[in-house]
Amino acid sequence: MQNFDPYDALVPVFLRTQAPNRVAQLGTAVFVELHGEPFLYTAAHVTDDHKTGELLVPTATGLEPIDGYMAFIDLPPEVRRGTDRIDIAYYRLSSKFATDLCGHFRPVPQTRCELIKSSLELTVCSVSGYPATKSGKTADGAHRSEIFSLRGVAAQQHVYDSLELSSDLNIVIHFNKKQAVDPEKFEKTSTPSLKGISGGGIFAWPKGEELSDDWNLPKLVGLMHSFRERDGLIIGTTLLPVLAAVQLGKMKRFGGIR
């Protein structure tokens, strides 16, 4: 199996606004190679903010606006994004921009992505991304972000039923911030806010390897979009709706992006 660190594919997404004039970290995206083409997968509520400013990611030349064809699940005017149970979006990146992105990141190869038939097949998953509270600036004024990974047990059917979610399209993971444990010291530890991890990857650990720290083992199975802290549940979407959206974009030739 190709040696690959999933952390290399996680990209912090920043928003640049004019009023106020600032750049702040907004969310996370996953750099993916699909059928030889470069994509960023993320959450739709992250790309929604393109209406208020420019979405930027780190490249070999610094923070740059994302160059590519963007698509997301649109909603009727009367429906709020906060109630969106799928909440996915993607960019089909231009080849040149993808090359620039490779100055800091490596795409997840297609062999490390998995289309699951049901989230009930999962045992333990890691949710990985960039908490916004851990972003900031270096001494020379450059923007920085710190990556985190949170591991939890996959939910069973009764949890999906209580949330009125589909175990075919959604992924629900138990994660209680107050009971988080450091995987190296096995001691209670604090975790940052999950704000900013939206759009990050959900990686499934193989059965029998739930406590492993070998990141050559897990595969990308979904994207995280929300955290119900009171219930101790991380919620995301499987890759199936993302690929369905990509197929539709392909029919539109991704707006001419190459």
Side-chain angles (χ1 to χ4, degrees):
M1 181 180 293
Q2 181 184 6
N3 184 32
F4 176 77
D5 185 345
Y7 278 16
D8 292 341
L10 298 172
V11 181
V13 180
F14 295 81
L15 176 67
R16 177 163 60 199
T17 57
Q18 298 298 323
N21 185 12
R22 68 179 182 182
V23 173
Q25 199 221 311
L26 174 67
T28 302
V30 187
F31 190 16
V32 178
E33 181 183 352
L34 177 64
H35 301 309
E37 297 181 314
F39 292 85
L40 280 181
Y41 296 165
T42 189
H45 74 261
V46 172
T47 58
D48 282 348
D49 277 330
H50 80 281
K51 301 170 186 176
T52 60
E54 280 188 304
L55 297 182
L56 316 172
V57 294
T59 72
T61 57
L63 284 180
E64 296 289 345
I66 303 171
D67 182 26
Y69 171 86
M70 182 183 71
F72 55 91
I73 301 297
D74 207 357
L75 298 173
E78 68 275 10
V79 178
R80 295 182 299 106
R81 181 64 73 189
T83 63
D84 184 3
R85 299 175 182 177
I86 302 299
D87 197 356
I88 55 97
Y90 75 86
Y91 283 89
R92 195 299 192 183
L93 302 174
S94 71
S95 298
K96 180 182 182 306
F97 188 81
T99 299
D100 291 341
L101 198 60
C102 286
H104 296 297
F105 308 99
R106 292 173 57 199
V108 180
Q110 198 166 336
T111 54
R112 294 297 303 275
C113 301
E114 184 174 1
L115 281 178
I116 56 175
K117 294 181 180 178
S118 169
S119 296
L120 301 179
E121 302 171 359
L122 304 174
T123 55
V124 167
C125 295
S126 289
V127 179
S128 306
Y130 292 88
T133 55
K134 291 295 182 178
S135 65
K137 288 189 176 182
T138 62
D140 59 0
H143 290 272
R144 62 165 180 79
S145 287
E146 185 177 347
I147 201 167
F148 270 78
S149 191
L150 312 167
R151 193 178 307 204
V153 176
Q156 297 183 348
Q157 184 64 58
H158 69 90
V159 178
Y160 288 88
D161 293 341
S162 69
L163 298 172
E164 298 184 341
L165 295 175
S166 165
S167 57
D168 296 336
L169 300 178
N170 295 109
I171 300 174
V172 180
I173 301 161
H174 292 280
F175 182 76
N176 188 328
K177 287 185 63 179
K178 295 181 180 179
Q179 297 179 3
V181 175
D182 186 305
E184 295 181 357
K185 300 178 181 179
F186 291 98
E187 297 176 354
K188 189 173 181 179
T189 187
S190 60
T191 63
S193 166
L194 273 67
K195 183 180 180 181
I197 296 181
S198 293
I202 300 177
F203 298 91
W205 291 89
K207 292 181 180 179
E209 300 289 349
E210 289 86 353
L211 298 179
S212 174
D213 60 0
D214 182 357
W215 278 91
N216 285 306
L217 298 175
K219 291 188 176 182
L220 179 71
V221 294
L223 304 174
M224 179 267 193
H225 61 67
S226 57
F227 177 48
R228 296 174 65 119
E229 185 169 0
R230 180 176 298 180
D231 301 320
L233 298 173
I234 295 174
I235 302 174
T237 302
T238 68
L239 294 181
L240 184 60
V242 185
L243 295 186
V246 168
Q247 281 300 113
L248 181 58
K250 190 171 184 178
M251 293 172 60
K252 299 178 180 179
R253 299 185 179 182
F254 300 120
I257 290 292
R258 295 180 180 276

